[in-house]
Structures are given as C-alpha cells and as structure tokens.
Amino acid sequence: MSFSSQAKKEICKDPISRRCCALAEACGVLLYCNTFTHTQIRLVTESEDLAQRLPRLFYKAFRVDFDEIQAGSKYAFSITARQKLEQILQAVGYSPEDSITLHVNYALLEKECCQAAFLRGAFLAGGSVTDPEKRYHLELATAHFKVSRETHSLLLDLGFAPKQTMRNGSSILYFKQSDAIEDVLAYLGAPVAAMGVMEAKIEKDMKNKINRIVNCDNANTSKVVEAAQAQIAAIRALERQGRLQELPEKLRQTAHLRMDNPEANLQELGELFSPPVSKSAVNHRLRKLVELANN
C-alpha cells in the first residue's frame, strides 16, 4: 500500500457523525471527483476504504444512494437519476435549472469542523501525498480552476500556504515543505501519516549529517595522505643527496618519525616526540624539510 493510500485509510477511519460535516465533506468530494454535472456524478477510486465510506457519506449528507457501484481494480460510483441529482445540487447550493459553474459554497463552511471536513473530502477524492522517504509533495487536483482558487483562499485563511500550478488541464494546489505537509495531514485527520513524514525527515537529516561528516573526514584524510607523501618524498631526496645527516637533530628526528609513521597526522606525530611537541612545531619542521629538499 502506498503512503498516500495509507494516509487516506487513516482519514477514512474518522466517523461520519454530524450531518453538516458530512455535507461539507461530500461537497469536497464532488468538487474534486472525476465528474460532477447536472446530468451525472461519477467518482472513481482505488481506495477500498474510501469506497466503503462514500455510500455512508452520501446517504448522511444527501439521503441518497448511488445508482451504480462497480468494483474491480478500481471502484466506480455513479448517480444519473434526475431527482437525486437535483437533491444533491440544491444541498450544495447550486440551482439545477442553471448551467453549473462549480464553486466552493462558503455557506457550508462556516464552522471550523466543516472546513476541515471539506478539505478532507477534497483530499480523499483529488489529493495525493508522496512517500516522504523519496520526496516531499502533497497536492490537491481538480479540473475546475475557480474551485481550486477558492480552496486556495480557504487554506490561506487556515494558515496554510500552498503553491499553485496547472497540469494537463487540472488546477493543482501543492506543498513541498515537509513541515507544511505534516501540518496538513494532521489537520485532515491523519496524525500517523504526519508522524511518518516527520520521522522520514529526521532520518534524512541524520543521514545527511553522517554523510557530511564522512565526506569531511575523507577529505581531511586525503589531505593528510597527500601532505605525508610530499614530506616523505622530500626526506628521501635529502637522504639520496646525503644532506639528511647534516641537518639539526630536531629536523632529523622529525624526518625519522615521519618515515616510520606515514599515516599519522600532525597531532599524532607530535605526541610521538619525547617530550611531545605541538602540532604547529611539527608542521614547521616538516615544511622546513620540504623546503630544503626543493632548494
């Protein structure tokens, strides 16, 4: 089961109690479903949980049953009976006699619980959320631009800030920030899914932090190795020239310790002296050896 299906499954567990909320949720479903006209309502979903919820939701909201329900790899619900369509249109604030220009009926959303219910229905019918382990993306898609614009205003009033775009003739509201997706899922009634987004973000942040540390350590190790190779090459050049034995004791001691400990960093090398010397002192001596070899 996809992450989006799990989120919808969790949302569908919310009981359908108040008729006002059922009406608001059903309105969200209709405005974001496949077909909603004065001659037909058609909803198609892959979610078994939503398929079980829809008949109860529509009966609670409109006191009507679906004319046809098809079950298979997808579930299809349709209403074509004129009397039922008129009853639904009037309930959501449309006039059956006029050509329908779909819009959000704010009169149905005066209560905060009904606003959440409307958005819940919109998400169940036309929403999706990507697996947060892959990327962060939650969207609401509808074929009706005015509906999308008014839903955008509603979300802004509730403190959310979705972005807008068009895709294949559909108007899309979407979120890309993990924090915003967590808040939206929790608001819709999917706190477990919201927690999943949070956990995925924490895991990603930990992995990124570990990778940065590893990369930094690797880079530092590479620098140490390159510097040590240059120092050893310089010491061998001094040996071939017979000049190493002519150098001061401190430089000779540093050269021998470097040759015996090619992988040691400056601090580790300094601790091998008796008595130990500072990292800067070791660095100064090694630079002097390289300088002498180059000259």
Side-chain angles (χ1 to χ4, degrees):
M1 183 182 293
S2 67
F3 185 81
S4 188
S5 297
Q6 291 175 349
K8 291 184 178 182
K9 180 181 181 71
E10 185 180 1
I11 291 172
C12 285
K13 292 180 180 179
D14 189 46
I16 305 171
S17 53
R18 298 181 179 179
R19 185 167 184 268
C20 63
C21 292
L23 188 59
E25 182 178 333
C27 184
V29 169
L30 289 170
L31 295 179
Y32 279 82
C33 73
N34 303 81
T35 304
F36 178 32
T37 68
H38 67 284
T39 59
Q40 182 186 28
I41 291 173
R42 179 174 171 80
L43 302 96
V44 180
T45 180
E46 296 179 352
S47 171
E48 181 178 352
D49 300 279
L50 179 56
Q52 294 175 357
R53 185 179 182 85
L54 282 173
R56 293 183 285 113
L57 176 65
F58 269 58
Y59 189 80
K60 181 78 172 180
F62 309 119
R63 297 294 189 267
V64 299
D65 297 315
F66 287 97
D67 293 333
E68 184 180 2
I69 300 176
Q70 297 176 345
S73 59
K74 293 184 178 181
Y75 299 88
F77 299 81
S78 61
I79 297 176
T80 54
R82 182 176 179 181
Q83 182 179 358
K84 292 181 181 180
L85 289 169
E86 290 180 354
Q87 190 170 334
I88 291 173
L89 290 171
Q90 290 175 350
V92 296
Y94 300 136
S95 173
E97 292 79 16
D98 301 330
S99 59
I100 300 177
T101 301
L102 296 182
H103 61 87
V104 177
N105 185 357
Y106 289 110
L108 301 177
L109 311 181
E110 293 180 354
K111 299 178 182 178
E112 292 184 7
C113 59
C114 294
Q115 295 170 359
F118 170 81
L119 293 172
R120 183 164 59 242
F123 179 77
L124 289 173
S128 63
V129 58
T130 305
D131 187 341
E133 293 185 0
K134 298 178 180 178
R135 64 191 181 102
Y136 303 123
H137 185 87
L138 183 149
E139 71 176 35
L140 297 173
T142 179
H144 313 290
F145 176 75
K146 186 175 182 180
V147 169
S148 183
R149 185 178 60 189
E150 292 172 344
T151 304
H152 181 262
S153 298
L154 174 62
L155 286 166
L156 289 177
D157 290 342
L158 293 171
F160 302 109
K163 295 183 179 180
Q164 304 177 75
T165 188
M166 297 293 296
R167 186 197 310 135
N168 299 327
S170 293
S171 184
I172 313 293
L173 300 178
Y174 66 95
F175 298 87
K176 287 287 190 182
Q177 300 297 323
S178 61
D179 293 346
I181 294 174
E182 290 171 23
D183 293 341
V184 171
L185 287 173
Y187 183 77
L188 295 177
V192 175
M195 186 64 67
V197 176
M198 184 183 301
E199 291 174 351
K201 179 184 178 183
I202 293 173
E203 185 175 349
K204 282 183 181 180
D205 289 344
M206 287 296 295
K207 287 181 179 179
N208 291 336
K209 184 176 181 179
I210 292 172
N211 287 336
R212 285 195 298 268
I213 293 173
V214 170
N215 291 336
C216 183
D217 287 344
N218 289 340
N220 290 337
T221 300
S222 297
K223 290 180 180 179
V224 170
V225 171
E226 291 174 2
Q229 290 175 343
Q231 294 156 5
I232 291 172
I235 293 168
R236 286 175 177 169
L238 291 171
E239 282 182 327
R240 288 194 302 270
Q241 298 166 9
R243 299 168 58 197
L244 185 60
Q245 298 304 319
E246 300 175 358
L247 298 178
E249 181 180 355
K250 291 182 179 180
L251 291 182
R252 292 201 311 271
Q253 185 182 12
T254 302
H256 291 314
L257 286 174
R258 168 49 82 201
M259 293 294 288
D260 294 338
N261 303 275
E263 297 181 355
N265 58 35
L266 296 178
Q267 183 175 347
E268 293 168 343
L269 209 59
E271 293 172 353
L272 297 175
F273 284 84
S274 182
V277 299
S278 66
K279 184 168 64 174
S280 60
V282 176
N283 183 49
H284 175 74
R285 296 177 189 180
L286 289 170
R287 290 177 60 184
K288 185 65 175 178
L289 288 169
V290 173
E291 181 181 343
L292 291 171
N294 290 338
N295 292 337

